[in-house]
Amino acid sequence: MAPAEKPALLIRLCAPRGFCAGVVRAIDAVEEALRKFGAPVYVRHEIVHNRYVVEGLKRKGAIFVDELSEIPDTEAPVIFSAHGVPKAVPAEAESRKFFAIDATCPLVTKVHREAEIHFKRGRRVILVGHAGHPEVVGTMGQLPDGAVVLVETVDDVARLVLLDDQPLAFVTQTTLSVDDTAAVVAALKARFPGIAAPHKEDICYATTNRQEAVKRVAPEVDAMIVVGSPNSSNSQRLREVAERAGCPLARLVLRAEDIDWSLFGQLRTLGITAGASAPEVLVEEIIDAFAERYAIEVETVSTADESVFFPLPKVLRPDAA
């Protein structure tokens, strides 16, 4: 008896997807430090929010910690993650004479500098972001306690209690939903017409581009898989964007073994994208898993070209002494 033919499945692959320049720089920083100085290399916080990436670096000799207090006295490199850190962290590293390497994404550093400039000019800084996210903790930690007010939603803006005569400015987390943030920013500008805005959008190019690609694909497919980790803000936003764009089923999946086939069993079309901290190898793994069950055709849907590159921290560059 001939085996049953596999059902046909059209996979619409979003582009751009996956690693952004800041993530590439951060991962390369850990790998180059391991190559240049040997193991161990300590990393404060997950270098990027992806378990597959973190486990791979652990196998090469990286040791991940939540706080510097977990690190013994050492001459080994201590790397700060792409999300950025409060000023207290490099200060602690200096007091303990650690060999610290800052792998903060330059686009996050831009937000830090903006917040500092507004503060120096006497403005109260409002940060649009998600409470507890490492990037938000790092940005708020650039200024003294109480100098930054966090808002997450339009309702938070309505509830703000601020001094009438204090000038205001806002900055945003780099990995937010573009549409959600636009609504919060509009509410801020409506309530505080004189509020100072960033000179250039704080939401990073990669977040924007990945969301635009999902908006294009999501209404045209039966289901959408976002490859990424549950603690990745930009990956969670991609799932939300897919749902809002009209996709009947959108799920965040770390890797192929996490696919719930009871949900993805009867499809004709599938969209796939990946968060900015998810490696392409996991996208390929998921495509291969569908290829075992379906006769697949893969079509790439591209909405932008990306050529952004960030050099390694100076101490890790080939010409460093």
Side-chain angles (χ1 to χ4, degrees):
M1 183 174 166
E5 282 190 23
K6 294 178 183 176
L9 177 66
L10 173 62
I11 293 177
R12 306 200 78 200
L13 196 56
C14 294
R17 65 182 176 276
F19 281 176
C20 62
V23 163
V24 170
R25 176 180 184 265
I27 294 169
D28 285 354
V30 178
E31 292 188 331
E32 183 60 18
L34 285 163
R35 189 194 68 76
K36 197 167 185 175
F37 304 109
V41 167
Y42 291 93
V43 185
R44 184 191 179 276
H45 194 73
E46 291 186 348
I47 190 69
V48 295
H49 281 157
N50 188 278
R51 193 171 73 228
Y52 176 89
V53 171
V54 168
E55 292 300 326
L57 292 172
K58 280 182 181 176
R59 287 192 292 274
K60 294 177 181 178
I63 298 174
F64 290 85
V65 298
D66 290 325
E67 300 297 342
L68 297 187
S69 57
E70 300 169 45
I71 302 174
D73 291 339
T74 181
E75 294 181 358
V78 177
I79 298 181
F80 306 147
S81 80
H83 311 96
V85 294
K87 278 193 169 175
V89 173
E92 181 185 351
E94 187 176 359
S95 73
R96 292 191 62 191
K97 297 183 171 54
F98 283 154
F99 172 30
I101 300 171
D102 188 358
T104 301
C105 173
L107 298 178
V108 174
T109 301
K110 165 188 167 286
V111 177
H112 291 180
R113 298 294 82 81
E114 283 175 348
E116 287 182 309
I117 289 166
H118 288 310
F119 180 70
K120 285 175 183 171
R121 291 176 178 169
R123 297 177 182 131
R124 188 79 183 273
V125 178
I126 297 173
L127 170 60
V128 184
H130 293 297
H133 187 276
E135 184 186 327
V136 166
V137 172
T139 299
M140 295 184 77
Q142 300 306 303
L143 300 178
D145 286 349
V148 181
V149 180
L150 180 66
V151 295
E152 298 194 42
T153 64
V154 170
D155 289 343
D156 288 346
V157 174
R159 286 191 291 264
L160 277 175
V161 179
L162 300 169
L163 297 174
D164 290 340
D165 59 344
Q166 186 168 25
L168 301 173
F170 74 87
V171 295
T172 82
Q173 186 179 335
T174 64
T175 55
L176 298 175
S177 157
V178 174
D179 295 337
D180 283 351
T181 306
V184 176
V185 167
L188 282 170
K189 289 179 175 178
R191 187 162 172 212
F192 310 107
I195 193 167
H199 292 300
K200 190 171 178 246
E201 182 79 61
D202 284 339
I203 294 178
C204 84
Y205 77 94
T207 298
T208 303
N209 289 347
R210 280 148 191 71
Q211 289 180 20
E212 285 302 314
V214 167
K215 286 179 190 175
R216 172 85 65 87
V217 168
E220 302 173 352
V221 292
D222 299 326
M224 190 100 192
I225 284 180
V226 178
V227 184
S229 290
N231 62 337
S232 163
S233 173
N234 75 85
S235 299
Q236 289 284 10
R237 302 296 81 74
L238 289 174
R239 178 187 56 78
E240 293 169 2
V241 167
E243 290 172 347
R244 289 179 190 175
C247 184
L249 173 69
R251 288 290 185 273
L252 188 61
V253 175
L254 182 63
R255 56 187 312 177
E257 65 192 28
D258 302 314
I259 297 171
D260 182 346
W261 292 105
S262 68
L263 296 176
F264 292 98
Q266 302 292 325
L267 300 173
R268 291 199 198 113
T269 54
L270 173 69
I272 298 179
T273 188
S277 47
E280 185 65 12
V281 64
L282 297 186
V283 175
E284 293 167 0
E285 180 184 283
I286 284 170
I287 292 172
D288 288 345
F290 278 93
E292 290 177 8
R293 292 163 173 82
Y294 292 90
I296 65 167
E297 178 187 348
V298 180
E299 170 188 297
T300 297
V301 179
S302 182
T303 54
D305 292 321
E306 289 183 352
S307 57
V308 179
F309 168 77
F310 297 134
L312 285 169
K314 284 183 183 174
V315 71
L316 295 174
R317 293 177 202 169
D319 54 352

